[in-house]
Amino acid sequence: MTFTTLDNVDHADLRVAVRAGPAFGDHANLLPVFPIEFEEAQRELPIVFRRGDDGGIRAYVLLGLDRGENLFLDGDRWTTRFVPAIQRRGPFALTRGEDGEAVVQVDCDDPRVGVADGLPLFRDHGGDALYLEHVRTALMLLADGAQSERAIHADLEAAGLLRGVTLRVDLGDAGGYELTDLLTIDQAALAALSGATLERLHANGLLRAATMAAASLGNMERLIELKTIRAAA
């Protein structure tokens, strides 16, 4: 990787393609998401949680049943409207300049960078083009999410809203799957919240996040449908 700070003079004509695929990290059956993404993610993808080796909890969207399987990819494009920010960022990264301002960098070694059919990064007058605005939003979401996610998920656990589960999927003649080491929102515990805990979670927005994560599990039916079609093919 060779990251270079973007400049609307030096990179005025630079174009970057919007492509997905194994080379870009999209072929994963779990991709991390942040609570701020739950509202969009829950409309199309199941949201689950996992505990890392350090004891911290992260949220993920479940994209497939086999390792390295994303059932929501068609060629080099996602079939969902929602794409996790960690993938929406493309070949870009965020750093801080000497003045503390956020600075966008681009990986010049990435094969999506500098292609003729890519999207422009800057407008003719030098301002950010729509694609770069989109990327900048994703990068800022990642930066903000990384700072807050650990405390948010710890708060959900402290409120008794996370429970360990084993997801079992039966595909009939195509076999079955058992996904372990997952955490999901305990809907019974969510419904039973009351008093100060309920007020606190409502006030800080975590009640809404937990509710959306719980609702997202309804998307398991779509994931199983796609896996069944893939297995039959």
Side-chain angles (χ1 to χ4, degrees), residues 37-210:
E37 298 181 90
F38 284 7
E39 182 169 1
E40 288 186 87
Q42 61 90 25
R43 298 186 184 117
E44 300 178 278
L45 302 169
I47 299 170
V48 297
F49 303 81
R50 296 187 78 177
R51 191 183 306 277
D53 294 337
D54 63 352
I57 296 171
R58 295 201 74 180
Y60 297 84
V61 282
L62 182 62
L63 304 170
L65 301 180
D66 285 306
R67 185 181 297 274
E69 175 183 67
N70 184 344
L71 295 169
F72 299 92
L73 275 184
D74 182 12
D76 64 355
R77 292 288 185 271
W78 285 68
T79 60
T80 54
R81 290 165 296 178
F82 170 77
V83 177
I86 197 167
Q87 295 307 114
R88 291 203 311 274
R89 66 180 174 177
F92 299 92
L94 195 69
T95 188
R96 296 286 173 179
E98 294 181 359
D99 58 359
E101 290 295 316
V103 176
V104 178
Q105 296 185 319
V106 61
D107 178 11
C108 295
D109 291 337
D110 191 290
R112 292 170 291 186
V113 176
V115 295
D117 62 343
L119 298 176
L121 299 182
F122 297 102
R123 302 180 189 275
D124 292 340
H125 57 74
D128 289 356
L130 186 61
Y131 175 49
L132 185 53
E133 291 177 357
H134 174 82
V135 166
R136 195 182 295 275
T137 298
L139 291 172
M140 293 302 297
L141 188 154
L142 289 171
D144 294 342
Q147 292 182 356
S148 62
E149 68 165 340
R150 194 178 185 96
I152 289 173
H153 297 147
D155 209 358
L156 291 176
E157 183 176 38
L161 294 181
L162 294 178
R163 67 184 181 96
V165 298
T166 296
L167 294 180
R168 294 182 175 87
V169 178
D170 182 8
L171 298 181
D173 293 341
Y177 289 84
E178 188 172 279
L179 305 180
T180 60
D181 299 325
L182 297 179
L183 302 166
T184 61
I185 296 295
D186 187 331
Q187 300 206 36
L190 183 62
L193 285 174
S194 62
T197 300
L198 177 61
E199 292 178 8
R200 177 172 56 82
L201 293 181
H202 175 69
N204 62 20
L206 295 192
L207 181 63
R208 178 171 171 78

